[in-house]
Amino acid sequence: MGLFEHMKARLGPARDKVSDLARQHGDKVQHGIDKAARAVDERTKGKYTDRIHAGTGKAKEAMDRLAQKEEPHVSGANPPARPEGPPPTS
């Protein structure tokens, strides 16, 4: 067993636990992300609004990926829709 396979096997239970927590408390986490973004935006007086929105969107996408169950895709099934959010900025 190679190093990668060994690490994957050891970290599997931890990833499952984090995924379960993300499914159970995802709405609270996303609310916290929004609240933190608003606080930072207020303290910086809107100077970094675009960057804050981009970071918030990426954090929410990461939470959504964690919360998704890893199930085999059924042939012909549509993948889950991505949540609406602010448009990405470059």
Side-chain angles (χ1 to χ4, degrees):
M1 179 183 289
L3 178 63
F4 180 72
E5 289 84 15
H6 180 68
M7 292 294 289
K8 190 174 177 181
R10 299 280 292 185
L11 293 175
R15 186 184 192 295
D16 292 341
K17 177 92 172 157
V18 169
S19 182
D20 288 341
L21 290 171
R23 274 192 292 280
Q24 292 173 6
H25 304 290
D27 56 336
K28 292 178 185 177
V29 173
Q30 291 203 8
H31 177 71
I33 291 169
D34 288 334
K35 189 174 180 180
R38 279 192 303 274
V40 171
D41 198 30
E42 287 174 9
R43 287 194 175 222
T44 59
K45 297 180 174 115
K47 185 176 180 180
Y48 302 103
T49 300
D50 292 340
R51 292 181 184 174
I52 291 168
H53 284 294
T56 301
K58 289 179 183 180
K60 287 181 177 184
E61 287 175 11
M63 276 299 302
D64 289 340
R65 283 192 308 270
L66 277 174
Q68 289 179 356
K69 289 185 179 179
E70 292 185 13
E71 297 176 356
H73 290 285
V74 177
S75 155
N78 293 330
R82 295 186 79 167
E84 294 283 332
T89 58
S90 300

